[in-house]
Amino acid sequence: MELPTPTDLRQQRNDLGLTQSELADRADVSQPLIARIEGGDVDPRLSTLRRIVNALQEAESDVIKAADLMHEDVVSVGPDDPVSKAAHRMEQEAYSQLAVIQDGIPVGSISQSELVHLEEEHRDEPVAEHMAESFPTVSKDATLDEISNLLEHYKAVMITEAGQTVGIITEADLAARLS
């Protein structure tokens, strides 16, 4: 077992968005002690270090990640599928938009608003001719704050791992989680 360095402790605290005072409260130590440990001025007792590490681990488990929110079953269409298939799938699933995925990689999106104005003769055209940009992608470790920021500008966020789609989060998923 490798003990964290003062730099490791500071980095983890900052990554979790905790102040030194908040970490001190969680670990039941003083804020000046946290500052001195992070500065490398003091070598803490093992029991103190254990309380600090436990407090950081508890804070980390409080952080909601993309993996906690995502749907692994991504309803999508391919870029070569006809627009009529996308429209049918949206109606069938009661979705207002779909991801366009090719070989596991998000390549675009298509929404009802893009299909509403299409004439009947365009229904057999490929989705690629009518799709918009792809939803943004994040890793499973993306935080709720990062996802919320993206959902202010996009209708969904794709979760990828090694370039492959593994999940999706929509505004509705976020609203359900927060309620």
Side-chain angles (χ1 to χ4, degrees), residues 10-72:
R10 182 183 318 106
Q11 182 65 47
Q12 189 173 9
R13 178 182 59 76
N14 287 332
D15 288 348
L16 293 170
L18 293 174
T19 64
Q20 288 180 344
S21 295
E22 290 168 335
L23 177 57
D25 288 343
R26 287 175 174 254
D28 198 28
V29 298
S30 70
Q31 180 274 325
L33 179 59
I34 296 290
R36 292 183 68 202
I37 291 169
E38 287 183 356
D41 299 336
V42 169
D43 279 337
R45 294 172 55 184
L46 185 57
S47 60
T48 302
L49 183 60
R50 182 175 292 132
R51 287 202 318 259
I52 294 169
V53 169
N54 286 344
L56 288 168
Q57 287 174 340
E58 285 176 21
E60 190 170 39
S61 69
D62 293 345
V63 175
I64 298 172
K65 306 271 182 153
D68 302 325
L69 297 170
M70 73 180 196
H71 289 281
E72 291 180 5

Side-chain angles (χ1 to χ4, degrees), residues 115-159:
L115 301 180
V116 164
H117 304 295
L118 282 182
E119 303 293 328
E120 191 62 39
E121 66 259 14
H122 298 291
R123 296 286 180 172
D124 291 329
E125 292 176 355
V127 166
E129 291 184 23
H130 301 281
M131 70 183 186
E133 69 179 323
S134 179
F135 301 125
T137 61
V138 298
S139 73
K140 286 181 170 184
D141 292 332
T143 64
L144 179 60
D145 284 344
E146 294 168 320
I147 295 163
S148 296
N149 288 337
L150 288 169
L151 287 174
E152 288 179 16
H153 306 285
Y154 299 93
K155 296 180 186 254
V157 175
M158 304 299 297
I159 314 307

Side-chain angles (χ1 to χ4, degrees), residues 93-123:
E93 300 289 338
Y95 290 162
S96 61
Q97 73 271 333
L98 294 176
V100 181
I101 297 177
Q102 184 172 21
D103 300 324
I105 300 169
V107 294
S109 63
I110 191 160
S111 69
Q112 281 180 334
S113 62
E114 291 153 348
L115 301 180
V116 164
H117 304 295
L118 282 182
E119 303 293 328
E120 191 62 39
E121 66 259 14
H122 298 291
R123 296 286 180 172

